[in-house]
Amino acid sequence: MDYLPLFLNVRERLCLVVGGGAVAARKVILLHRAGAIVKIVALKLHEQLQELAQRGVITVQQTAFSDIEIKDYYLVIAATDDKILNTQVYQMAKVHGVLVNVVDQPSLCNFILPAIIDRSPIIIAVSSGGASPVLARLLRARLETLIPHAYARLAQFAARYRNRVKQQIKAVRARRIFWEQVLQGSIAERVLAGQEMEAEKALEEALSVNSAPSQGEVYLVGAGPGDPDLLTFRALRLMQQVDVVLYDRLVSAEILDLVRREAERIYVGKKRAWHVVRQEQISTMLVEYAKEGKRVLRLKGGDPFIFGRGGEEIASLAAEKIPFQVVPGITAASGCACYGGIPLTHRDYAHTCIFVTGQLKEGQLNLNWQSLIQPQQTVVVYMGLAGLGLLCQQLIAHGMSSSMPAALVQQGTTPQQRIFTGTLATLPRMVMNEKIHAPTLIIIGKVVALHSQLAWFHTSQESSCK
């Protein structure tokens, strides 16, 4: 280990930064956030530093460094492109026993500044010891995705209750176990979700019996349209801490692989005219698993509140007083349109967008046709492949032009994505010729004509039929 990791308290300490460029500005901002009294020595100032000086946040001395009494400072940072000056700063600081850092010159440092993940009061530092600052920043970026900003709230919550818990639970081991249960269970999840009043009530109840609550919780998570990179940070965090997952047919294998390895996996997928588990059974399973004290993940393709029956499931949970969280996902309309280079709205083509389901019921489509044929509008049809012929026929019969551009996006956002463009008149024939299968999204409107110009996602197959 080349360096001893330490966290330095510079609050109300006098710190000096030599240099006035963009690099110096970043160091000044960091010191200011940590509560230091910052002084700058530089002949010219970056505009960011000028603004800070005008606000009185920092003081500036526009003179040569040799005029500075370096022994008066707690630490010094040299951030200039003058190697001779940087060496002079280091040597003077070393003589006076002052902490010194010369940016990008590890040999002229007796301390280094790591890449920082700030979730105050939680601070995480990543350092390569000066060997590769870029690698340290890349590692920090990866950790940023795994540690939500809400962990700051959780740390503050724990700090507020630290003495209270210590007084209530005297034994050190019992107190440690209590905090482990709290910080990994439903109380922590409520804090992270911004439900601090509910979390405080639950903690008080837990303290009354010296035990964290054993009741489980349900996470209703939108998995997006297929690409794992489209998951939210919150979705990923919850997926990695569950005991059991109930997942749909539209959840890709790559996304399912991100669920905690030890979690029990239960397939509850549906497709047209075939249901593995009926909706009522799914809702019952969520309640029963949660009552067993398990953390239950209900993983749905797309967004759970857009044609995902999420409302029905949380109604069952609410009736049984089961704690739950809902995490939105990118719905298929947004994901498929984006990856297909088809903007759902465009000032020259579409001012509104409407989502509908195209499922057949007894061979019929019961839609508000008049609302679908409005000018400058994009129509997105979910689950409409089986009734595509009837859909196109009825839109034309109710006044939409048979030459209206339309697209089919099969398995959108995934490497297997296929896009087929045509018109209302040609699309049904294309389905028969190209062997298109679900999941496929239908996009109808003049914006589809932009696909050839704007598509950026390399699909395995594209076809058009005019």
Side-chain angles (χ1 to χ4, degrees), residues 376-398:
Q376 292 191 304
Q377 176 173 270
T378 304
V379 179
V380 180
V381 185
Y382 290 69
M383 299 169 281
L385 192 60
L388 179 63
L390 182 58
L391 173 73
C392 294
Q393 177 189 343
Q394 288 297 318
L395 287 173
I396 294 170
H398 284 83

Side-chain angles (χ1 to χ4, degrees), residues 272-290:
R272 183 170 174 261
W274 186 73
H275 298 263
V276 172
V277 182
R278 300 195 65 82
Q279 185 60 51
E280 296 78 8
Q281 292 174 275
I282 294 173
S283 297
T284 299
M285 290 167 71
L286 294 176
V287 170
E288 290 177 347
Y289 279 121

Side-chain angles (χ1 to χ4, degrees), residues 201-228:
K201 181 180 177 182
L203 186 61
E204 290 291 349
E205 291 174 355
L207 279 172
S208 68
V209 293
N210 282 8
S211 175
S214 60
Q215 185 181 32
E217 186 173 12
V218 175
Y219 311 136
L220 188 60
V221 172
D227 187 344

